[in-house]
Amino acid sequence: MTTRTPATPPRRTDARRNRERLVEAATRVFTAQGVDAPLDTIAREAGVGNATMYRNFPTREAILEAVLRDLHDELGRRAQDLLRGEPPGEAFIRWLAEFLDYTQSLLGLPEPLASATRDESSALYASCEGMRVAATRLLVRAQEAGDLRRDVLADDLFAHVLGIAWVTQYAGDKRAQASRLLAVLADGIREAPQSRRHRVGS
Amino acid sequence: MTTRTPATPPRRTDARRNRERLVEAATRVFTAQGVDAPLDTIAREAGVGNATMYRNFPTREAILEAVLRDLHDELGRRAQDLLRGEPPGEAFIRWLAEFLDYTQSLLGLPEPLASATRDESSALYASCEGMRVAATRLLVRAQEAGDLRRDVLADDLFAHVLGIAWVTQYAGDKRAQASRLLAVLADGIREAPQSRRHRVGS
DNA sequence: ACCTGAACACCGTTCAAGT
DNA sequence: ACCTGAACACCGTTCAAGT
């Protein structure tokens, strides 16, 4: 994965410590209340003024990215590891399932992830870039092996999984429903032996 | 479709007119700005005090339901008509495509529709009940005809389409992307001649 | 160079005072 | 029986005044 650093890293020791505390507090608060938790709660939890938080992280997305960065890198490495998984089609579907799991780990996470997809200049977009590239490679391998349909786009599949994560997030059996929907997606992209291709009428 | 009436229909003539104006204003505002538009805008547009709006429609969902009711009934009738469509599997998929189209007609609509699915006591849930029943019948016919997999649940498919509508709603080519994702869903639920069934590993 | 709490803006919801 | 505008609450963002 590429190394990323914030635009303006604080130079003073107390400032750096404040930044760390904010990220730790944000991790706790987002985990407990979801990613839409009031930002003031994070500042209070970190023991700093709300304006300090705002200067370090000008947007909710910025602090969320700091919280998620490591997880994204981990998912990227996971995609790389799965490049040795067999069969290639199932290795990619396996990664999709783990990505889905991740998007359900924080309440409300699908929304900022989907937004980031559309804004290449956003911090979250950069944070996801590594895993996006690695997972795309995993897909291409599966397509070249003849396991998965060649006409599906990687970005469509990431979006599709985000849609599944979003719609199932408040369901009572969210894990179960999400995996049922993912199974439909998976069956929809596997290459059929006798290639029967369908289109939905406009 | 069953007939539904508000809990407390206004008796006074001016009150009834205010109610009508509010629904008309809401239709315009939701269409122009999406379903998250400020409610005060609707009251102002209708020429009434905000509290009047709030009394007629205690929640955003309540006024949204008034705006959408006819569309839901229409989609329900459409499902009934398609019961004569052939082949049965494609008739159901056709309905899903029209439902998807509808959910993309107002910005932000997938969210309240998904919420309503989980709350049987909500106004929107009742508003969708007719089309839900009709579309389920359409699915069952397709399954009994052997066109579509018997192990998929109607509610899962409605949710799946809402997920697709949600994730594509801000995309530049939202119609195109949504129909690509729906094509994957459709291929995932069609019954394969030689029944090959896959599962995504836990 | 960085901090703080208060002020401001926005919007949903409720209330006091009408007619 | 119904109306109104103002008040209140919540929360994101900005600003004035520190050290």
Side-chain angles (χ1 to χ4, degrees):
Chain A
M1 306 307 104
T2 58
T3 311
R4 293 174 301 273
T5 35
T8 46
R11 261 153 285 195
R12 251 166 50 178
T13 334
D14 58 334
R16 260 206 311 279
R17 211 181 45 182
N18 277 343
R19 200 183 186 283
E20 278 165 33
R21 282 182 177 167
L22 279 163
V23 175
E24 287 161 16
T27 303
R28 287 195 299 276
V29 171
F30 286 155
T31 301
Q33 307 186 31
V35 303
D36 293 320
L39 293 176
D40 278 5
T41 306
I42 295 172
R44 193 169 359 99
E45 186 90 1
V48 304
N50 55 1
T52 296
M53 174 194 63
Y54 208 76
R55 188 164 4 82
N56 277 282
F57 304 99
T59 61
R60 178 183 298 273
E61 199 201 36
I63 192 159
L64 183 60
E65 192 276 333
V67 169
L68 300 179
R69 178 175 295 196
D70 291 349
L71 296 171
H72 292 158
D73 289 349
E74 201 180 310
L75 270 169
R77 282 192 299 273
R78 180 62 177 146
Q80 288 180 325
D81 292 349
L82 282 166
L83 274 172
R84 278 170 213 84
E86 294 289 341
E90 299 315 304
F92 175 73
I93 288 167
R94 172 81 225 164
W95 186 87
L96 277 190
E98 292 181 15
F99 176 59
L100 173 58
D101 237 50
Y102 158 66
T103 62
Q104 293 203 310
S105 64
L106 288 185
L107 211 59
L109 183 53
E111 158 94 20
L113 289 181
S115 296
T117 304
R118 296 173 230 114
D119 180 8
E120 304 192 10
S121 69
S122 72
L124 256 187
Y125 182 91
S127 190
C128 294
E129 185 63 357
M131 74 167 176
R132 211 179 61 82
V133 170
T136 301
R137 235 191 302 266
L138 195 59
L139 170 63
V140 168
R141 182 182 72 125
Q143 289 174 315
E144 289 176 349
D147 286 1
L148 300 182
R149 291 174 51 159
R150 283 181 155 75
D151 63 348
V152 298
L153 306 169
D155 287 350
D156 275 3
L157 295 180
F158 305 147
H160 203 140
V161 168
L162 286 174
I164 289 172
W166 174 81
V167 79
T168 59
Q169 76 188 317
Y170 294 105
D173 60 338
K174 71 174 185 173
R175 296 268 172 171
Q177 189 183 30
S179 92
R180 291 198 304 273
L181 300 197
L182 182 62
V184 167
L185 187 169
D187 278 325
I189 63 174
R190 287 202 186 84
E191 191 62 74
Q194 42 23 308
S195 110
R196 43 170 193 112
R197 291 288 70 110
H198 295 279
R199 278 294 131 188
V200 175
S202 111
Chain B
M1 307 307 106
T2 56
T3 310
R4 294 173 301 271
T5 35
T8 46
R11 260 154 286 194
R12 249 164 54 177
T13 333
D14 58 334
R16 261 206 310 280
R17 208 179 49 183
N18 277 344
R19 200 184 187 282
E20 277 166 31
R21 281 181 178 168
L22 280 163
V23 175
E24 286 161 15
T27 303
R28 287 194 300 275
V29 171
F30 286 152
T31 301
Q33 308 186 32
V35 303
D36 293 319
L39 293 177
D40 278 5
T41 307
I42 295 172
R44 194 170 358 99
E45 185 91 0
V48 304
N50 55 359
T52 296
M53 176 195 60
Y54 209 74
R55 190 166 0 85
N56 277 283
F57 303 99
T59 62
R60 179 184 296 274
E61 199 201 36
I63 191 158
L64 183 61
E65 192 275 334
V67 168
L68 300 178
R69 177 175 297 195
D70 291 349
L71 296 171
H72 293 156
D73 289 349
E74 200 180 310
L75 271 169
R77 281 193 299 275
R78 180 64 176 143
Q80 288 181 325
D81 292 349
L82 281 166
L83 275 172
R84 278 171 214 82
E86 293 292 340
E90 299 315 303
F92 176 73
I93 288 167
R94 172 81 226 165
W95 186 87
L96 276 190
E98 293 181 15
F99 176 59
L100 173 59
D101 237 51
Y102 157 67
T103 62
Q104 293 203 310
S105 64
L106 288 185
L107 211 60
L109 183 53
E111 158 94 19
L113 288 181
S115 297
T117 303
R118 300 175 229 111
D119 180 7
E120 303 192 9
S121 68
S122 72
L124 257 186
Y125 182 91
S127 191
C128 293
E129 185 63 358
M131 75 168 173
R132 211 178 61 82
V133 170
T136 301
R137 234 191 302 267
L138 194 59
L139 170 63
V140 169
R141 181 182 73 127
Q143 289 173 316
E144 288 176 348
D147 287 0
L148 301 182
R149 291 173 53 160
R150 284 181 154 75
D151 64 347
V152 297
L153 305 170
D155 287 351
D156 275 3
L157 295 180
F158 304 148
H160 203 141
V161 168
L162 287 174
I164 289 172
W166 174 80
V167 80
T168 59
Q169 75 187 318
Y170 293 104
D173 60 337
K174 69 174 186 172
R175 296 268 173 171
Q177 190 182 29
S179 93
R180 291 198 303 275
L181 300 197
L182 183 62
V184 167
L185 187 168
D187 278 327
I189 64 175
R190 286 201 186 85
E191 192 60 74
Q194 41 24 309
S195 112
R196 47 175 189 108
R197 290 288 70 108
H198 296 276
R199 277 296 130 187
V200 175
S202 113

